[in-house]
């Protein structure tokens, strides 16, 4: 990139934002990032972001939780300290498995949920005490912001195009990070 010029384009409606993203992509402008106050359904597809494999992680974490539950209950209730509780035999895991189903379910959900939170934070690079990267505080309330790469583009023509898409405010930012 020749320069680090970035346009911050504000919108006040999510439908207008979606239309603008589609128009920007059709004209082959590079969208650096989009900031929204709430999740906008379909925005990832409109931006052309690749499909995420995070659901596969959740399934694997659930399987880990199920395995831990199975191994834990087999060791504790069958091998280590077998007891006759309510007339149930204590020498076979399979005979006791119906009583273990709630524990297996709970540990599956527990592992999947907690490990997914950790995975999400690591994938999103959200660390404790990390400085917020939000460029405009209004995007946490009721505005939507698109960061558009302004390098190698006529700023007047690009600004006119963005106002035609429904932008309410455009500001030019010189950002060394994008240089």
């Amino acid at each position: 990139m020749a320069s680090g010029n970035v346009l911050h384009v504000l919108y006040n409606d999510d439908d207008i934002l979606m239309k603008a993203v589609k128009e920007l992509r059709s004209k082959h402008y590079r969208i650096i990032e989009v900031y929204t106050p709430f999740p906008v359904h379909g925005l990832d597809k409109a931006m052309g972001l690749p499909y995420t494999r995070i659901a596969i992680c959740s399934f694997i974490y659930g399987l880990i939780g199920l395995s831990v539950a199975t191994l834990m209950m087999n060791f504790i209730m069958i091998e280590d300290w077998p007891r006759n509780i309510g007339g149930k035999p204590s020498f076979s895991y399979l005979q006791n498995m119906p009583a273990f189903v709630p524990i297996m379910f709970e540990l599956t959900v527990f592992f999947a949920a907690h490990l997914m939170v950790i995975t999400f934070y690591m994938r999103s690079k959200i660390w404790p005490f990390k400085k917020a990267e939000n460029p405009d505080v209004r995007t946490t309330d009721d505005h939507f912001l698109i960061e558009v790469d302004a390098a190698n583009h006529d700023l007047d023509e690009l600004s006119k195009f963005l106002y035609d898409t429904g932008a309410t405010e455009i500001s030019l930012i010189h950002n060394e990070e994008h240089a």
Side-chain angles (χ1 to χ4, degrees), residues 2-8 150 171-179:
S3 70
N5 289 337
V6 175
L7 287 179
H8 284 182
S171 52
L172 179 65
I173 307 296
H174 183 73
N175 193 345
E176 292 298 326
E177 180 179 322
H178 300 292

Side-chain angles (χ1 to χ4, degrees), residues 1-35:
M1 241 184 272
S3 70
N5 289 337
V6 175
L7 287 179
H8 284 182
V9 187
L10 280 167
Y11 294 88
N12 56 10
D13 185 70
D14 58 331
D15 293 328
I16 296 171
L17 171 83
M18 286 291 289
K19 182 178 164 257
V21 166
K22 290 175 184 175
E23 289 182 26
L24 279 164
R25 296 235 330 135
S26 70
K27 297 285 186 182
H28 303 291
Y29 290 113
R30 188 169 88 87
I31 299 172
I32 298 169
E33 187 63 78
V34 176
Y35 297 90

Side-chain angles (χ1 to χ4, degrees), residues 2 7-9 19 29 42 68 76 83 124 135 143 160 169 173:
L7 287 179
H8 284 182
V9 187
K19 182 178 164 257
Y29 290 113
V68 167
I76 293 171
R83 293 185 299 164
S124 300
H143 281 73
K160 182 184 178 323
E169 183 181 323
I173 307 296

Side-chain angles (χ1 to χ4, degrees), residues 1-155:
M1 241 184 272
S3 70
N5 289 337
V6 175
L7 287 179
H8 284 182
V9 187
L10 280 167
Y11 294 88
N12 56 10
D13 185 70
D14 58 331
D15 293 328
I16 296 171
L17 171 83
M18 286 291 289
K19 182 178 164 257
V21 166
K22 290 175 184 175
E23 289 182 26
L24 279 164
R25 296 235 330 135
S26 70
K27 297 285 186 182
H28 303 291
Y29 290 113
R30 188 169 88 87
I31 299 172
I32 298 169
E33 187 63 78
V34 176
Y35 297 90
T36 63
F38 53 83
V40 177
H41 180 69
L43 183 60
D44 53 342
K45 289 179 184 165
M47 288 179 62
L49 297 176
Y51 175 75
T52 179
R53 295 181 303 267
I54 202 160
I56 296 169
C57 292
S58 180
F59 180 72
I60 291 169
Y61 297 154
L63 288 178
I64 292 170
L66 181 64
S67 300
V68 167
T70 303
L71 293 171
M72 179 188 73
M73 288 180 300
N74 184 55
F75 178 74
I76 293 171
M77 299 298 290
I78 306 301
E79 294 177 15
D80 186 43
W81 195 355
R83 293 185 299 164
N84 187 347
I85 300 172
K88 293 183 176 125
S90 59
F91 55 85
S92 170
Y93 180 82
L94 290 177
Q95 288 178 329
N96 285 305
M97 197 171 76
F100 296 157
V101 169
I103 299 167
M104 292 171 12
F105 171 77
E106 291 298 331
L107 280 181
T108 300
V109 172
F110 180 85
F111 271 69
H114 286 79
L115 292 175
M116 279 302 296
V117 168
I118 293 168
T119 301
F120 175 75
Y121 284 153
M122 290 175 63
R123 179 71 178 95
S124 300
K125 297 178 182 160
I126 301 174
W127 313 113
F129 311 110
K130 182 180 181 196
K131 185 177 183 277
E133 296 177 5
N134 194 355
D136 192 324
V137 72
R138 292 177 288 179
T139 61
T140 62
D141 187 22
D142 62 350
H143 281 73
F144 304 84
L145 185 137
I146 301 177
E147 282 185 339
V148 180
D149 180 19
N152 306 322
H153 295 291
D154 180 24
L155 291 178

